[in-house]
Amino acid sequence: AEAIFVLLILQGCGYHNPYLANESLNKPTAIIYMTVWDNNTNELGLESLIFQKTADWLQQHRHILVTGYKNRADYLLIGKILSVDYPATAYGTNDIATTLLAKVKTTYRLSDRTSGETIWEVKKSLRQADYAAGPDAVSSQCNKKIALTTIAEELSEQIYLEISNTLTSQ
């Protein structure tokens, strides 16, 4: 009974769970055109990873259609990877790094395709994940790839939530 009361209160306040599409909403499908992000770094493939993770998140939304045709879209999602940095955060014997931090700085925006108006923009998003340096270069690279995948997943989820919130508030 208490749980139902809490749910009714939250629903009355306009709360909705962005991870679940509401069947009762009869909103039209928003069509979004995404580009592979510009990559101003030497971290090859990171732009494709972010593109794929973002597309995966957006395709989960019942009211969003991702298209490869710019002229068919309602909205444009454009992003850029500004920088990637790997500072050491922990050291072992002989001052050898044991833990590193992958730091990815990005910018992205959603705009209306027909008017060109920016709906929202995030100018400097910083995401980070730590990873073990590993006993050799191969394991360090593997750990770095896992950290970058975590960052791409979290960034893509944030973009999904921002777009979902935008569509439900319009």
PDB file of all heavy atoms in Angstrom, residues 14 16 18 25 27 61 75 110 119-120 161-170:
ATOM      1  N   GLY A  14       4.744  14.527 -11.961  1.00  0.00           N
ATOM      2  CA  GLY A  14       5.274  14.541 -13.311  1.00  0.00           C
ATOM      3  C   GLY A  14       6.471  13.635 -13.496  1.00  0.00           C
ATOM      4  O   GLY A  14       7.100  13.644 -14.540  1.00  0.00           O
ATOM      5  N   HIS A  16       8.630  10.519 -14.415  1.00  0.00           N
ATOM      6  CA  HIS A  16       8.527   9.356 -15.298  1.00  0.00           C
ATOM      7  C   HIS A  16       9.882   8.677 -15.328  1.00  0.00           C
ATOM      8  O   HIS A  16      10.902   9.311 -15.140  1.00  0.00           O
ATOM      9  CB  HIS A  16       8.084   9.754 -16.703  1.00  0.00           C
ATOM     10  CG  HIS A  16       9.143  10.503 -17.449  1.00  0.00           C
ATOM     11  ND1 HIS A  16       9.410  11.830 -17.219  1.00  0.00           N
ATOM     12  CD2 HIS A  16      10.020  10.104 -18.394  1.00  0.00           C
ATOM     13  CE1 HIS A  16      10.397  12.219 -17.991  1.00  0.00           C
ATOM     14  NE2 HIS A  16      10.792  11.196 -18.715  1.00  0.00           N
ATOM     15  N   PRO A  18      12.736   7.374 -17.346  1.00  0.00           N
ATOM     16  CA  PRO A  18      13.195   7.515 -18.722  1.00  0.00           C
ATOM     17  C   PRO A  18      13.676   6.214 -19.337  1.00  0.00           C
ATOM     18  O   PRO A  18      13.872   6.123 -20.533  1.00  0.00           O
ATOM     19  CB  PRO A  18      14.347   8.519 -18.609  1.00  0.00           C
ATOM     20  CG  PRO A  18      14.808   8.393 -17.208  1.00  0.00           C
ATOM     21  CD  PRO A  18      13.604   8.035 -16.392  1.00  0.00           C
ATOM     22  N   LEU A  25       1.648   7.173 -23.905  1.00  0.00           N
ATOM     23  CA  LEU A  25       2.006   8.395 -24.624  1.00  0.00           C
ATOM     24  C   LEU A  25       1.821   8.167 -26.118  1.00  0.00           C
ATOM     25  O   LEU A  25       2.382   7.253 -26.692  1.00  0.00           O
ATOM     26  CB  LEU A  25       3.459   8.784 -24.349  1.00  0.00           C
ATOM     27  CG  LEU A  25       3.784   9.258 -22.943  1.00  0.00           C
ATOM     28  CD1 LEU A  25       5.271   9.527 -22.819  1.00  0.00           C
ATOM     29  CD2 LEU A  25       3.001  10.508 -22.607  1.00  0.00           C
ATOM     30  N   LYS A  27       2.832  10.112 -28.483  1.00  0.00           N
ATOM     31  CA  LYS A  27       3.679  11.096 -29.132  1.00  0.00           C
ATOM     32  C   LYS A  27       4.243  10.498 -30.414  1.00  0.00           C
ATOM     33  O   LYS A  27       4.523   9.313 -30.482  1.00  0.00           O
ATOM     34  CB  LYS A  27       4.809  11.515 -28.209  1.00  0.00           C
ATOM     35  CG  LYS A  27       4.317  12.263 -27.002  1.00  0.00           C
ATOM     36  CD  LYS A  27       5.454  12.890 -26.259  1.00  0.00           C
ATOM     37  CE  LYS A  27       4.874  13.676 -25.100  1.00  0.00           C
ATOM     38  NZ  LYS A  27       5.594  14.824 -24.778  1.00  0.00           N
ATOM     39  N   HIS A  61      14.584   3.300 -27.192  1.00  0.00           N
ATOM     40  CA  HIS A  61      13.446   4.179 -26.906  1.00  0.00           C
ATOM     41  C   HIS A  61      12.352   3.967 -27.948  1.00  0.00           C
ATOM     42  O   HIS A  61      12.606   4.035 -29.143  1.00  0.00           O
ATOM     43  CB  HIS A  61      13.913   5.635 -26.914  1.00  0.00           C
ATOM     44  CG  HIS A  61      12.972   6.565 -26.223  1.00  0.00           C
ATOM     45  ND1 HIS A  61      11.737   6.899 -26.742  1.00  0.00           N
ATOM     46  CD2 HIS A  61      13.093   7.238 -25.056  1.00  0.00           C
ATOM     47  CE1 HIS A  61      11.143   7.744 -25.919  1.00  0.00           C
ATOM     48  NE2 HIS A  61      11.940   7.965 -24.895  1.00  0.00           N
ATOM     49  N   TYR A  75      15.792  15.875 -35.763  1.00  0.00           N
ATOM     50  CA  TYR A  75      16.862  16.400 -34.923  1.00  0.00           C
ATOM     51  C   TYR A  75      18.217  15.896 -35.406  1.00  0.00           C
ATOM     52  O   TYR A  75      18.318  14.812 -35.972  1.00  0.00           O
ATOM     53  CB  TYR A  75      16.689  15.945 -33.471  1.00  0.00           C
ATOM     54  CG  TYR A  75      15.392  16.368 -32.852  1.00  0.00           C
ATOM     55  CD1 TYR A  75      14.316  15.486 -32.770  1.00  0.00           C
ATOM     56  CD2 TYR A  75      15.233  17.654 -32.342  1.00  0.00           C
ATOM     57  CE1 TYR A  75      13.122  15.875 -32.203  1.00  0.00           C
ATOM     58  CE2 TYR A  75      14.030  18.047 -31.776  1.00  0.00           C
ATOM     59  CZ  TYR A  75      12.981  17.153 -31.708  1.00  0.00           C
ATOM     60  OH  TYR A  75      11.790  17.532 -31.148  1.00  0.00           O
ATOM     61  N   LEU A 110      22.182  18.709 -29.478  1.00  0.00           N
ATOM     62  CA  LEU A 110      20.996  18.287 -30.215  1.00  0.00           C
ATOM     63  C   LEU A 110      20.381  19.544 -30.804  1.00  0.00           C
ATOM     64  O   LEU A 110      20.158  20.526 -30.083  1.00  0.00           O
ATOM     65  CB  LEU A 110      19.990  17.594 -29.287  1.00  0.00           C
ATOM     66  CG  LEU A 110      18.747  17.026 -29.968  1.00  0.00           C
ATOM     67  CD1 LEU A 110      19.118  15.791 -30.792  1.00  0.00           C
ATOM     68  CD2 LEU A 110      17.680  16.673 -28.951  1.00  0.00           C
ATOM     69  N   ILE A 119      18.699  22.765 -29.457  1.00  0.00           N
ATOM     70  CA  ILE A 119      17.751  22.386 -28.407  1.00  0.00           C
ATOM     71  C   ILE A 119      18.479  22.383 -27.070  1.00  0.00           C
ATOM     72  O   ILE A 119      18.003  22.931 -26.094  1.00  0.00           O
ATOM     73  CB  ILE A 119      17.131  20.995 -28.682  1.00  0.00           C
ATOM     74  CG1 ILE A 119      16.554  20.910 -30.095  1.00  0.00           C
ATOM     75  CG2 ILE A 119      16.122  20.622 -27.615  1.00  0.00           C
ATOM     76  CD1 ILE A 119      15.431  21.857 -30.390  1.00  0.00           C
ATOM     77  N   TRP A 120      19.620  21.739 -27.011  1.00  0.00           N
ATOM     78  CA  TRP A 120      20.513  21.778 -25.857  1.00  0.00           C
ATOM     79  C   TRP A 120      21.923  21.447 -26.308  1.00  0.00           C
ATOM     80  O   TRP A 120      22.127  20.839 -27.348  1.00  0.00           O
ATOM     81  CB  TRP A 120      20.067  20.892 -24.700  1.00  0.00           C
ATOM     82  CG  TRP A 120      19.752  19.461 -25.037  1.00  0.00           C
ATOM     83  CD1 TRP A 120      18.515  18.906 -25.138  1.00  0.00           C
ATOM     84  CD2 TRP A 120      20.674  18.398 -25.309  1.00  0.00           C
ATOM     85  NE1 TRP A 120      18.610  17.573 -25.469  1.00  0.00           N
ATOM     86  CE2 TRP A 120      19.921  17.247 -25.579  1.00  0.00           C
ATOM     87  CE3 TRP A 120      22.053  18.300 -25.362  1.00  0.00           C
ATOM     88  CZ2 TRP A 120      20.504  16.021 -25.889  1.00  0.00           C
ATOM     89  CZ3 TRP A 120      22.638  17.085 -25.673  1.00  0.00           C
ATOM     90  CH2 TRP A 120      21.869  15.965 -25.919  1.00  0.00           C
ATOM     91  N   LEU A 161      19.328   9.928 -21.815  1.00  0.00           N
ATOM     92  CA  LEU A 161      18.465  10.543 -20.804  1.00  0.00           C
ATOM     93  C   LEU A 161      18.119  11.985 -21.162  1.00  0.00           C
ATOM     94  O   LEU A 161      16.981  12.419 -20.990  1.00  0.00           O
ATOM     95  CB  LEU A 161      19.131  10.472 -19.426  1.00  0.00           C
ATOM     96  CG  LEU A 161      19.256   9.076 -18.831  1.00  0.00           C
ATOM     97  CD1 LEU A 161      20.128   9.106 -17.580  1.00  0.00           C
ATOM     98  CD2 LEU A 161      17.895   8.489 -18.533  1.00  0.00           C
ATOM     99  N   GLU A 162      19.093  12.736 -21.674  1.00  0.00           N
ATOM    100  CA  GLU A 162      18.843  14.124 -22.056  1.00  0.00           C
ATOM    101  C   GLU A 162      17.850  14.202 -23.221  1.00  0.00           C
ATOM    102  O   GLU A 162      16.945  15.037 -23.215  1.00  0.00           O
ATOM    103  CB  GLU A 162      20.156  14.818 -22.407  1.00  0.00           C
ATOM    104  CG  GLU A 162      21.030  15.073 -21.190  1.00  0.00           C
ATOM    105  CD  GLU A 162      22.402  15.616 -21.529  1.00  0.00           C
ATOM    106  OE1 GLU A 162      22.649  15.986 -22.689  1.00  0.00           O
ATOM    107  OE2 GLU A 162      23.242  15.670 -20.621  1.00  0.00           O
ATOM    108  N   ILE A 163      18.022  13.337 -24.204  1.00  0.00           N
ATOM    109  CA  ILE A 163      17.094  13.324 -25.346  1.00  0.00           C
ATOM    110  C   ILE A 163      15.707  12.871 -24.904  1.00  0.00           C
ATOM    111  O   ILE A 163      14.699  13.465 -25.282  1.00  0.00           O
ATOM    112  CB  ILE A 163      17.645  12.454 -26.488  1.00  0.00           C
ATOM    113  CG1 ILE A 163      18.857  13.151 -27.133  1.00  0.00           C
ATOM    114  CG2 ILE A 163      16.558  12.195 -27.543  1.00  0.00           C
ATOM    115  CD1 ILE A 163      19.569  12.330 -28.171  1.00  0.00           C
ATOM    116  N   SER A 164      15.655  11.832 -24.089  1.00  0.00           N
ATOM    117  CA  SER A 164      14.365  11.346 -23.581  1.00  0.00           C
ATOM    118  C   SER A 164      13.652  12.437 -22.807  1.00  0.00           C
ATOM    119  O   SER A 164      12.448  12.657 -22.987  1.00  0.00           O
ATOM    120  CB  SER A 164      14.601  10.116 -22.696  1.00  0.00           C
ATOM    121  OG  SER A 164      13.381   9.636 -22.184  1.00  0.00           O
ATOM    122  N   ASN A 165      14.367  13.142 -21.956  1.00  0.00           N
ATOM    123  CA  ASN A 165      13.786  14.238 -21.181  1.00  0.00           C
ATOM    124  C   ASN A 165      13.307  15.356 -22.108  1.00  0.00           C
ATOM    125  O   ASN A 165      12.234  15.926 -21.905  1.00  0.00           O
ATOM    126  CB  ASN A 165      14.804  14.771 -20.165  1.00  0.00           C
ATOM    127  CG  ASN A 165      14.199  15.803 -19.255  1.00  0.00           C
ATOM    128  OD1 ASN A 165      13.105  15.628 -18.743  1.00  0.00           O
ATOM    129  ND2 ASN A 165      14.922  16.888 -19.048  1.00  0.00           N
ATOM    130  N   THR A 166      14.066  15.662 -23.134  1.00  0.00           N
ATOM    131  CA  THR A 166      13.686  16.701 -24.097  1.00  0.00           C
ATOM    132  C   THR A 166      12.390  16.321 -24.802  1.00  0.00           C
ATOM    133  O   THR A 166      11.485  17.157 -24.946  1.00  0.00           O
ATOM    134  CB  THR A 166      14.799  16.907 -25.131  1.00  0.00           C
ATOM    135  OG1 THR A 166      15.977  17.348 -24.456  1.00  0.00           O
ATOM    136  CG2 THR A 166      14.413  17.920 -26.185  1.00  0.00           C
ATOM    137  N   LEU A 167      12.297  15.076 -25.230  1.00  0.00           N
ATOM    138  CA  LEU A 167      11.112  14.652 -25.977  1.00  0.00           C
ATOM    139  C   LEU A 167       9.859  14.598 -25.111  1.00  0.00           C
ATOM    140  O   LEU A 167       8.773  14.905 -25.582  1.00  0.00           O
ATOM    141  CB  LEU A 167      11.356  13.296 -26.618  1.00  0.00           C
ATOM    142  CG  LEU A 167      12.442  13.237 -27.688  1.00  0.00           C
ATOM    143  CD1 LEU A 167      12.634  11.831 -28.191  1.00  0.00           C
ATOM    144  CD2 LEU A 167      12.137  14.195 -28.823  1.00  0.00           C
ATOM    145  N   THR A 168      10.019  14.223 -23.846  1.00  0.00           N
ATOM    146  CA  THR A 168       8.846  14.141 -22.974  1.00  0.00           C
ATOM    147  C   THR A 168       8.411  15.504 -22.454  1.00  0.00           C
ATOM    148  O   THR A 168       7.273  15.663 -22.042  1.00  0.00           O
ATOM    149  CB  THR A 168       9.093  13.184 -21.796  1.00  0.00           C
ATOM    150  OG1 THR A 168      10.253  13.617 -21.076  1.00  0.00           O
ATOM    151  CG2 THR A 168       9.270  11.760 -22.271  1.00  0.00           C
ATOM    152  N   SER A 169       9.301  16.487 -22.490  1.00  0.00           N
ATOM    153  CA  SER A 169       8.924  17.808 -21.976  1.00  0.00           C
ATOM    154  C   SER A 169       8.361  18.705 -23.071  1.00  0.00           C
ATOM    155  O   SER A 169       7.880  19.785 -22.789  1.00  0.00           O
ATOM    156  CB  SER A 169      10.126  18.486 -21.311  1.00  0.00           C
ATOM    157  OG  SER A 169      11.130  18.759 -22.264  1.00  0.00           O
ATOM    158  N   GLN A 170       8.445  18.268 -24.317  1.00  0.00           N
ATOM    159  CA  GLN A 170       7.926  19.107 -25.412  1.00  0.00           C
ATOM    160  C   GLN A 170       6.455  18.863 -25.631  1.00  0.00           C
ATOM    161  O   GLN A 170       5.901  17.863 -25.371  1.00  0.00           O
ATOM    162  CB  GLN A 170       8.685  18.842 -26.703  1.00  0.00           C
ATOM    163  CG  GLN A 170      10.080  19.393 -26.656  1.00  0.00           C
ATOM    164  CD  GLN A 170      10.822  19.206 -27.969  1.00  0.00           C
ATOM    165  OE1 GLN A 170      10.436  18.409 -28.816  1.00  0.00           O
ATOM    166  NE2 GLN A 170      11.893  19.939 -28.132  1.00  0.00           N
TER     167      GLN A 170
END
